[in-house]
Amino acid sequence: MKKRLNKLLALMIAAVMIALTFTVSSAAFWEEEEYDESMFLIDGVYYSATYLDEDGMHAEVIGYEIDDEGNSLLAEKVVIPSEVEYNGESFTVSTIANNAFMDCYTLREITLPATIKVIDNGAFAGAINLSKIVIPEDCRFEYFGYSVFDGTRVLDYLSEKSPDGEIVIGQNVLLAYLGSETDYTVPDGITIIADMCFFGSGIENITIPETVEYIGPYAFASCTGIKEITIPDSVAEITDGTFSYCMNLETLNLGDKLEYIGLRALEGTKVKSVYIGKSVANVLGAFAGCNTIENITVSSDNEHYSTDGKALYYKYDFDDESPVYSLEYYIIGSDTDEFTVPENVSEIGNYAFYNCKQLKKVNLTSYVEIYAYSFAYCTFESFDFSKVYYIGNNAFEGCENIRFADLSNAYFVDNSVFENCTALSEVVFGDSISWIGMAAFRNTALTEVNVGGDYTVVDEGAFQNCPDLRRVNFNDGVYTLGEYLFTGCPSLERVYIAESVEEIYENALAECEDIVFEVVKYSAGYDFVRDNGLNYEIVGKVSFFKRMADFFARIFDFLFGWLTPVSVYR
């Protein structure tokens, strides 16, 4: 018997050595394959050679040189050439990539070529000493990102060169308006109104020409003097927060070619009526925080959106016999305190009922998935959670009147879903639950929690700051326990950790010195509480056969796990 065991041990060691050898050689191969040969350095600036369009070969500026400690090696003054040579070929420099010069404290002055077509998001953000930029007047931009000059002194330099407060860069980008005029007309030829262009300005009346195609995030935010604004047909996209907190804006005329309205674009306005033109394909979360909308009209030619006067719906299944809809926005102006979601709705979109104070009850007639912030800060007391499969992050955050949540059919509860639901004292999980997100039940009134499920992950801080929580059972089916699960739970007395729990993060049970853990001997939970000096009671024992099976399964996975296809979690 002893010889047989020794022989088995020798075979196992040999197999491990073979596996390690293969792993090393395989890793070296992939490192070689992933090396990016298109990246090259010229005068402290990194470029990447790409093929962008039919005009030929292009390069983009992607970064700057740093030393081993992360210090910038870039000169104070930089001139970006119109062309760069690489491997005997010439590339036109047409793009400054996102974050290319981010936090480059050595950079004080930069000159760009007329070939630049794109300056991407945050390109110079945080370059605190950058005070001068030279952009040729014949430069024509195809895209100008947001937060491009955040944290720099570029705007001060450009405003000195623009005594009227109108800052235009290149041929077609209105970067900012810092003038004192209350009536303003955007110059002809401008195609891009940059992010925060008019932020907090005193304009009251503005005229936007037909040349404008794009309006950046928060472009008109906090312009409290604007009461009415007309967006021309040429504009295809209104981005996030464009008109947020224009507190006196009542009338918004949208062009018929508009395709997209960004997140919280009308937050804090007084807009009462919205027209959805024939081309609009996405308004997800656009009306969040606008509590004055009483009417939404949808073009009869719009193939995506429809309304019944109570809510705005998006049709994503074009089967005319049985179409399926997402409820995108509940019209808060509807005169009712109870709402029933139609049977053919299978999704509740982002911010759909956000901050709705009038509803006391929401009824579901079919099973749905609920997305981010859908019901956050609502005041209703009754909701049929048993018909919910999926709940996105912060979906019910701050709903202070919810007392009970039956999640018996939910498989996914994302981050902060019930955070600050201070009256929530009872929750029921079913066997299908597989994910409880970060801070999902933080600052609630839960007294007892029973979680099982299907290979379930309980993420960081899921039950933090629950002052009334006394008992938690991580039953069969729970696999992973994230960090800081119970910090701020002074009443917690006992926690059961089932045999199925195999992964416990280092600080998962921090601040749990006074808690008694009920564990299964030889399980991961048993090893964890014992190794960390926590109080525990043994309530079961992993069988010998199970331990041996797990041991050989780990060996097999170590030796041959690389053969198993990798699953991508979405």
Side-chain angles (χ1 to χ4, degrees):
M1 179 66 177
K2 187 175 181 180
K3 288 182 179 179
R4 201 177 307 169
L5 287 173
N6 288 339
K7 185 176 180 181
L8 177 61
L9 182 60
L11 288 171
M12 288 169 59
I13 292 172
V16 168
M17 294 302 294
I18 293 170
L20 287 173
T21 302
F22 181 85
T23 302
V24 171
S25 61
S26 176
F29 170 76
W30 284 111
E31 284 180 9
E32 182 180 349
E33 286 293 305
E34 292 175 357
Y35 178 72
D36 185 2
E37 293 184 350
S38 70
M39 187 174 72
F40 53 97
L41 181 68
I42 300 176
D43 296 331
V45 177
Y46 280 103
Y47 298 83
S48 179
T50 56
Y51 294 81
L52 293 180
D53 54 37
E54 67 276 3
D55 293 336
M57 295 182 293
H58 292 251
E60 61 179 5
V61 176
I62 60 172
Y64 57 94
E65 188 177 15
I66 60 174
D67 62 20
D68 292 339
E69 296 180 354
N71 298 311
S72 170
L73 298 177
L74 195 64
E76 291 185 2
K77 295 184 178 182
V78 173
V79 176
I80 302 297
S82 59
E83 291 187 346
V84 290
E85 297 290 329
Y86 174 63
N87 279 353
E89 294 185 285
S90 181
F91 295 84
T92 300
V93 180
S94 57
T95 299
I96 309 296
N98 63 297
N99 303 331
F101 294 97
M102 185 176 184
D103 297 332
C104 184
Y105 63 88
T106 57
L107 183 62
R108 295 180 180 274
E109 180 180 329
I110 189 166
T111 300
L112 303 182
T115 54
I116 290 293
K117 296 180 180 180
V118 172
I119 299 182
D120 214 337
N121 306 330
F124 300 96
I128 58 174
N129 293 310
L130 179 61
S131 59
K132 182 178 180 180
I133 187 167
V134 178
I135 300 175
E137 291 183 1
D138 57 345
C139 184
R140 187 167 186 82
F141 291 95
E142 295 177 355
Y143 177 75
F144 191 87
Y146 56 84
S147 303
V148 168
F149 298 119
D150 280 10
T152 72
R153 291 182 285 170
V154 166
L155 201 59
D156 294 336
Y157 166 76
L158 294 175
S159 64
E160 290 175 1
K161 296 170 64 66
S162 306
D164 59 355
E166 181 182 85
I167 301 176
V168 176
I169 58 174
Q171 297 180 7
N172 63 317
V173 174
L174 181 61
L175 179 65
Y177 177 71
L178 306 176
S180 58
E181 297 292 331
T182 56
D183 293 356
Y184 177 74
T185 298
V186 175
D188 284 334
I190 294 296
T191 63
I192 297 171
I193 296 177
D195 68 310
M196 302 188 75
C197 180
F198 297 92
F199 184 89
S201 76
I203 60 170
E204 297 177 2
N205 301 292
I206 184 166
T207 302
I208 302 174
E210 290 283 348
T211 56
V212 173
E213 300 173 354
Y214 172 84
I215 300 176
Y218 301 92
F220 296 95
S222 298
C223 290
T224 56
I226 296 179
K227 295 182 179 180
E228 179 177 356
I229 191 168
T230 297
I231 305 300
D233 283 346
S234 55
V235 175
E237 183 175 354
I238 293 175
T239 48
D240 296 355
T242 300
F243 305 104
S244 60
Y245 295 98
C246 291
M247 293 185 289
N248 292 303
L249 178 62
E250 297 180 354
T251 304
L252 177 63
N253 303 309
L254 301 175
D256 218 29
K257 293 184 179 178
L258 189 68
E259 298 176 2
Y260 172 85
I261 307 175
L263 182 65
R264 304 176 91 131
L266 302 180
E267 182 174 19
T269 69
K270 293 182 178 179
V271 173
K272 294 182 179 181
S273 181
V274 175
Y275 171 68
I276 305 294
K278 64 181 181 181
S279 301
V280 175
N282 192 337
V283 298
L284 197 59
F287 309 130
C290 181
N291 298 328
T292 56
I293 295 177
E294 297 176 354
N295 178 55
I296 296 179
T297 304
V298 179
S299 169
S300 58
D301 295 327
N302 190 302
E303 62 178 3
H304 301 286
Y305 284 99
S306 62
T307 179
D308 59 4
K310 296 179 180 180
L312 180 68
Y313 303 94
Y314 179 87
K315 182 168 70 171
Y316 62 87
D317 185 337
F318 288 88
D319 181 356
D320 291 332
E321 294 184 3
S322 56
V324 180
Y325 294 88
S326 171
L327 193 158
E328 302 286 276
Y329 179 73
Y330 173 73
I331 303 172
I332 294 179
S334 302
D335 185 20
T336 180
D337 61 0
E338 183 174 343
F339 178 74
T340 299
V341 177
E343 188 174 2
N344 55 2
V345 170
S346 64
E347 295 179 0
I348 310 291
N350 297 343
Y351 293 89
F353 291 80
Y354 182 82
N355 201 32
C356 179
K357 304 298 185 184
Q358 73 187 60
L359 287 177
K360 295 181 180 179
K361 187 176 184 181
V362 176
N363 304 309
L364 299 178
T365 54
S366 57
Y367 287 92
V368 298
E369 295 185 348
I370 295 176
Y371 290 95
Y373 291 94
S374 294
F375 296 93
Y377 303 104
C378 289
T379 55
F380 56 74
E381 300 177 2
S382 177
F383 191 91
D384 188 2
F385 289 99
S386 67
K387 289 188 171 68
V388 178
Y389 287 131
Y390 170 97
I391 311 179
N393 61 281
N394 304 83
F396 294 90
E397 180 184 357
C399 291
E400 297 181 347
N401 294 324
I402 294 176
R403 299 180 181 277
F404 172 69
D406 179 359
L407 304 178
S408 54
N409 290 304
Y411 69 89
F412 196 98
V413 177
D414 210 348
N415 302 337
S416 299
V417 166
F418 294 99
E419 185 172 6
N420 297 324
C421 292
T422 52
L424 181 63
S425 60
E426 185 178 358
V427 61
V428 175
F429 295 103
D431 293 337
S432 58
I433 189 71
S434 62
W435 182 271
I436 298 175
M438 186 183 302
F441 295 90
R442 182 161 57 190
N443 197 26
T444 63
L446 292 176
T447 58
E448 182 173 337
V449 173
N450 290 280
V451 184
D454 180 19
Y455 213 66
T456 303
V457 174
V458 182
D459 205 1
E460 180 178 340
F463 303 101
Q464 281 183 351
N465 299 338
C466 294
D468 300 322
L469 188 61
R470 292 179 174 81
R471 172 90 190 193
V472 175
N473 296 317
F474 293 123
N475 298 314
D476 288 339
V478 176
Y479 181 82
T480 299
L481 301 182
E483 296 194 320
Y484 303 106
L485 291 176
F486 304 117
T487 56
C489 298
S491 301
L492 187 59
E493 298 172 352
R494 286 184 171 263
V495 175
Y496 169 67
I497 302 177
E499 179 183 330
S500 63
V501 175
E502 294 188 12
E503 184 179 31
I504 304 176
Y505 279 64
E506 181 179 358
N507 295 306
L509 306 179
E511 300 183 20
C512 292
E513 290 78 11
D514 297 328
I515 299 171
V516 176
F517 292 91
E518 300 174 357
V519 294
V520 179
K521 193 172 184 179
Y522 303 122
S523 68
Y526 167 76
D527 292 339
F528 187 90
V529 298
R530 188 182 58 173
D531 292 346
N532 285 275
L534 298 173
N535 301 320
Y536 67 92
E537 291 181 2
I538 296 174
V539 295
K541 181 179 179 181
V542 180
S543 70
F544 172 78
F545 296 105
K546 178 66 165 56
R547 280 182 279 155
M548 292 303 296
D550 289 345
F551 173 76
F552 285 110
R554 287 193 292 270
I555 293 295
F556 183 87
D557 185 63
F558 180 77
L559 296 177
F560 306 109
W562 56 273
L563 291 172
T564 305
V566 177
S567 298
V568 178
Y569 179 76
R570 296 181 62 185

